[in-house]
Amino acid sequence: MPAKPLPDVVADGLDVLFCGINPSLLSAERGHHFARPGNRFWPALHLAGLTPRRLTPDEDRELLRYGLGVTNVVARPTRTAAELTREELRAGGAELARLVARHRPRVLAVLGVTAWRTAFDRPRAVLGEQPDRVGGVPTWVAPNPSGLNAHHQLPDLARLYRVVRDAARAGG
């Protein structure tokens, strides 16, 4: 299997493994997750109290110090997630399940309900804890932190990320 254009930040037994949809072209170029300037992932983590300060994309490996990790459903970088095919999302979902089963985070948090619906064939899924487990672990769906996602503002993202972390600390 070829190396991913953007390596996972993952270790065994994390509290939360956050899972984006796929890397942006800029993230792949820089080699760091959520690197686009308008992305709200890093500010949301800090506002939620999951990191002691606002990390930058270049510090994504620091997430491991806080019991957090990050990966993507699909490894292929694109300008927008809309460029991904249903087949790529489904194949990525299967690969994600293998990754999660191997590393066993307490909770998986997929960041993007539309990607979740397609990758795991759950067309009516909503945000929050899911009835299905991925890789045998409790799974939550939270909003995509992209600045293009106007449905959820930074305080919403932070609140939901905090709920996910609290669920992990409570045992999943």
Side-chain angles (χ1 to χ4, degrees), residues 5-172:
L6 183 58
D8 297 325
V9 175
V10 65
D12 292 345
L14 296 170
D15 286 339
V16 181
L17 177 60
F18 287 97
C19 180
I21 299 168
N22 74 307
S24 69
L25 296 175
L26 181 61
S27 288
E29 177 185 309
R30 289 184 54 192
H32 296 286
H33 293 269
F34 300 106
R36 288 184 66 182
N39 196 290
R40 300 167 299 170
F41 179 74
W42 301 106
L45 285 183
H46 178 60
L47 188 60
L50 277 63
T51 59
R53 64 180 175 79
R54 182 176 167 178
L55 300 176
T56 67
D58 294 343
E59 298 174 297
D60 55 7
R61 304 248 2 125
E62 290 293 308
L63 288 172
L64 298 173
R65 294 179 57 193
Y66 308 112
L68 307 172
V70 65
T71 187
N72 289 289
V73 176
V74 175
R76 181 171 70 94
T78 60
R79 193 172 49 78
T80 69
E83 296 173 40
L84 299 173
T85 67
R86 174 178 295 279
E87 293 76 23
E88 283 179 295
L89 286 162
R90 293 231 171 125
E95 180 59 32
L96 176 63
R98 288 188 287 275
L99 178 82
V100 170
R102 185 168 52 249
H103 292 286
R104 304 294 299 172
R106 289 192 177 118
V107 169
L108 171 67
V110 177
L111 305 180
V113 70
T114 302
W116 167 260
R117 289 172 178 159
T118 302
F120 293 94
D121 197 24
R122 298 292 180 255
R124 293 180 181 23
V126 296
L127 296 175
E129 187 172 10
Q130 300 303 301
D132 302 306
R133 290 175 172 238
V134 171
V137 305
T139 301
W140 290 67
V141 174
N144 181 335
S146 167
L148 302 175
N149 180 3
H151 298 294
H152 297 277
Q153 299 305 310
L154 182 58
D156 301 323
L157 297 174
R159 180 182 54 77
L160 291 167
Y161 292 5
R162 188 172 27 253
V163 167
V164 169
R165 178 69 173 263
D166 290 348
R169 289 187 171 167

